[in-house]
Amino acid sequence: MDITSVLTEVIKGDVSEKIGQATGTDKSTVESVIAVGLPVILGQMANNTGDEKGAQALDSAVEKDHTSGSLLESLGGLFAGGDSNNDGGKIIEHVLGEKQSSANETIANKTGIDVATVAKILTFLAPLVMAYLGKKKSSDNLDAGGLSDLLKQQKTDNGGLLSDLATAVLDKNKDGSMLDDIIGGLFGNRSS
């Protein structure tokens, strides 16, 4: 199951517009950030679940707050906080940890969008990722290992693992050039 494609379809259109309104930007900007940021988030989640402790931590978080996946059916709760999404901020902080600033800067550099806007948009994306994982956990009866395996199977458009992509992006000694392979693949190429 390609999580990136499923969530991209959920986010296209009205959701992108609403995230844009909540963050003071437009649909196109939101989609650019999501096209680059979503694979990084999913890839880092896969990396974080590489050991049993990490897998259990994600499983517990999904079990506690996201098992129903209802956010995907009723997106109103996502926008209740106006231009900030505290839950999303906490999720991003947990997933990216000390690499959060580096990720925001890399995504900003690749999209041409300022770091503050990138950070805000990602806080709206993170709860959707968790809601999707919650829905899969429930519908497919996944345990911690099952969630971890699902994340580890996610690939870029050129067949590389998202976990490898996240490692490249979040490693300050590399330039994150693997991102170029996925930009445009999720929302389609745009002509300026």
Side-chain angles (χ1 to χ4, degrees):
M1 172 63 54
D2 180 12
I3 300 172
T4 305
S5 296
V6 171
L7 287 176
T8 298
E9 284 303 311
V10 168
I11 294 164
K12 274 186 174 179
D14 289 348
V15 177
S16 293
E17 285 181 29
K18 287 180 181 177
I19 293 173
Q21 291 166 358
T23 58
T25 190
D26 59 42
K27 175 182 169 183
S28 173
T29 299
V30 170
E31 290 180 354
S32 294
V33 171
I34 290 171
V36 179
L38 180 57
V40 173
I41 291 169
L42 291 170
Q44 189 57 31
M45 282 182 156
N47 289 336
N48 291 348
T49 62
D51 61 29
E52 189 175 336
K53 183 179 176 186
Q56 287 294 338
L58 177 64
D59 187 59
S60 295
V62 169
E63 180 76 34
K64 180 180 175 206
D65 295 322
H66 307 280
T67 306
S68 69
S70 62
L71 181 62
L72 295 174
E73 281 79 42
S74 175
L75 295 166
L78 187 62
F79 305 103
D83 71 346
S84 68
N85 187 331
N86 291 332
D87 288 343
K90 290 175 187 171
I91 295 166
I92 289 292
E93 187 178 322
H94 184 74
V95 170
L96 299 177
E98 64 188 29
K99 299 173 182 176
Q100 185 174 355
S101 294
S102 175
N104 290 342
E105 288 171 17
T106 301
I107 294 166
N109 289 337
K110 293 295 178 185
T111 60
I113 297 158
D114 68 275
V115 173
T117 301
V118 167
K120 279 185 184 180
I121 292 169
L122 293 182
T123 68
F124 285 91
L125 178 59
L128 294 172
V129 172
M130 292 297 283
Y132 179 81
L133 293 176
K135 188 174 184 177
K136 289 299 286 180
K137 177 178 175 56
S138 179
S139 68
D140 295 1
N141 198 28
L142 298 177
D143 60 9
L147 282 174
S148 176
D149 289 344
L150 176 67
L151 288 164
K152 290 176 186 172
Q153 294 169 8
Q154 301 307 302
K155 297 187 177 189
T156 65
D157 288 342
N158 69 358
L161 293 175
L162 290 185
S163 55
D164 293 341
L165 169 74
T167 299
V169 168
L170 299 175
D171 182 352
K172 289 191 176 201
N173 295 328
K174 297 183 181 180
D175 67 0
S177 62
M178 287 176 66
L179 277 174
D180 296 331
D181 297 336
I182 60 163
I183 294 176
L186 302 177
F187 287 100
N189 291 324
R190 289 186 184 77
S191 53
S192 305

